[in-house]
Amino acid sequence: MIKSTPLKLVSLASAGLLLAACGDDAAQNGEDASIGDQLEYTITGIEPGAGITETTEQALNAYDNLGDWELETSSTAGMMGQIDSAIANEEPLVVTGWTPHYKFEMYDLKFLEDPEGIYGDSEFVHTMSRIGFEEDMPEAYAILENFSWEVDDMQQIMLNAQDMEFDEAASDWIEENRDLTDSWVEGIEEVDGQSIELGSFPWDSERASSQVISQILEEHGFDVTVSNVDPSILFQALAQGEVDATVAPWLPTTQGTYLEAYGDDIVDMGVNMEGTIIGLVVPEYMDIDSIEDLTGDTE
């Protein structure tokens, strides 16, 4: 079984998001409260250390119409609870979002357009290692260098993991995609119990990728430990040689600042997934299409 170390991220408690209904006076006058009024100018986010959290803080400063808005950090599970509640009651909601994520399989959601380009274009997930990893573990390096898959692959594991453990969902996916996973290890010699530590993030998308690559490495004879940590800790650990490798970083926007800080002491092994997206997400039934539509004044 893949070992996992405790989280080193201290999560901040989050107050519940209050979804206010339109006021009686507004209803009597035939007027609707603005989206800002209904949501108390609050965007529901995830963990404070997530890259999308920092990017959303930048968006709050970049868009004039978001001057009264604030980001309420929570957790991925907390965000999902808010989505489920809002959609069940067809209420407005704005959350930080990204693909791949199983919420897009469960609900009709859409990304808001980002005219200022704060969230960037499509992102890429990279494989990275500490300096010297290729020389120390050439077989593991070769497998990780070959590792490449699609957004739909990760999203399928994330969805299945809602009804089973992530390791089981990953194992099922591996068995269903043996042609692909066999290509990652083709021609690479097996090892006998060599220890390797992978760094990852404590979010469902990275649980999926770390489980898949860990099981493939274990099948090839490695003794794998996965450390789920905050992005800033992971990049620092890679730079200091405390973690061997990772398949988790999103670039160029989500964790780009950490790469700028530690990139000279990290080996970027290339892209393992393309076509990921981050931004602000709302239910399809909300009659807005752009971040600029998130006004704060009652009309």
Side-chain angles (χ1 to χ4, degrees):
M1 181 176 289
I2 299 164
K3 299 183 288 296
S4 179
T5 57
L7 294 183
K8 301 175 184 176
L9 172 64
V10 178
S11 297
L12 299 180
S14 173
L17 178 64
L18 299 178
L19 294 174
C22 298
D24 292 339
D25 291 341
Q28 291 173 359
N29 294 330
E31 297 173 347
D32 291 329
S34 72
I35 294 171
D37 289 335
Q38 295 177 67
L39 294 178
E40 296 190 345
Y41 308 101
T42 301
I43 296 168
T44 299
I46 57 170
E47 292 80 0
I52 195 172
T53 300
E54 297 185 9
T55 306
T56 301
E57 292 289 358
Q58 296 173 21
L60 294 179
N61 293 324
Y63 283 90
D64 292 339
N65 58 298
L66 297 183
D68 294 329
W69 288 72
E70 64 180 19
L71 175 66
E72 183 178 76
T73 55
S74 176
S75 65
T76 302
M79 176 195 67
M80 288 301 298
Q82 296 289 357
I83 293 175
D84 186 68
S85 176
I87 289 182
N89 297 290
E90 202 162 322
E91 295 171 328
L93 183 69
V94 181
V95 302
T96 57
W98 62 95
T99 57
H101 195 279
Y102 67 91
K103 62 180 175 285
F104 290 96
E105 300 285 337
M106 297 176 64
Y107 306 109
D108 289 329
L109 303 169
K110 61 184 177 183
F111 281 95
L112 293 180
E113 296 172 5
D114 175 24
E116 296 292 338
I118 304 301
Y119 292 97
D121 297 323
S122 294
E123 295 241 286
F124 301 89
V125 185
H126 286 237
T127 302
M128 297 182 176
S129 76
R130 61 173 172 83
I131 292 175
F133 174 63
E134 182 177 11
E135 293 75 18
D136 295 340
M137 303 184 195
E139 296 86 3
Y141 186 95
I143 293 172
L144 287 166
E145 191 173 36
N146 289 340
F147 173 58
S148 178
W149 61 337
E150 303 293 332
V151 166
D152 288 344
D153 296 323
M154 180 186 281
Q155 203 154 272
Q156 186 62 54
I157 294 174
M158 295 167 70
L159 179 62
N160 292 345
Q162 303 313 299
D163 299 318
M164 63 183 73
E165 296 298 323
F166 262 97
D167 58 350
E168 184 180 355
S171 179
D172 288 349
W173 181 87
I174 289 171
E175 290 305 318
E176 294 169 0
N177 294 272
R178 276 296 177 185
D179 289 345
L180 175 61
T181 60
D182 285 348
S183 72
W184 300 341
V185 300
E186 185 176 359
I188 301 172
E189 293 185 6
E190 294 187 2
V191 302
D192 186 14
Q194 189 173 16
S195 297
I196 179 173
E197 182 169 1
L198 300 179
S200 191
F201 307 142
W203 305 310
D204 287 354
S205 51
E206 282 63 49
R207 288 190 179 99
S209 59
S210 63
Q211 278 293 332
V212 166
I213 197 60
S214 294
Q215 291 186 31
I216 295 300
L217 287 167
E218 287 196 333
E219 288 180 356
H220 224 64
F222 288 93
D223 181 14
V224 183
T225 298
V226 177
S227 296
N228 290 308
V229 297
D230 180 86
S232 62
I233 295 174
L234 175 55
F235 276 84
Q236 184 178 19
L238 278 173
Q240 295 177 351
E242 297 172 355
V243 170
D244 293 310
T246 181
V247 295
W250 289 37
L251 299 171
T253 302
T254 307
Q255 277 101 42
T257 56
Y258 300 121
L259 186 62
E260 290 179 6
Y262 298 105
D264 290 343
D265 298 311
I266 295 174
V267 177
D268 186 348
M269 299 168 59
V271 173
N272 64 60
M273 179 183 292
E274 59 184 30
T276 62
I277 304 172
I278 65 171
L280 295 185
V281 172
V282 300
E284 278 281 0
Y285 55 73
M286 289 181 64
D287 190 23
I288 60 173
D289 297 304
S290 171
I291 294 175
E292 291 181 334
D293 294 332
L294 295 174
T295 57
D297 297 327
T298 302
E299 297 180 358

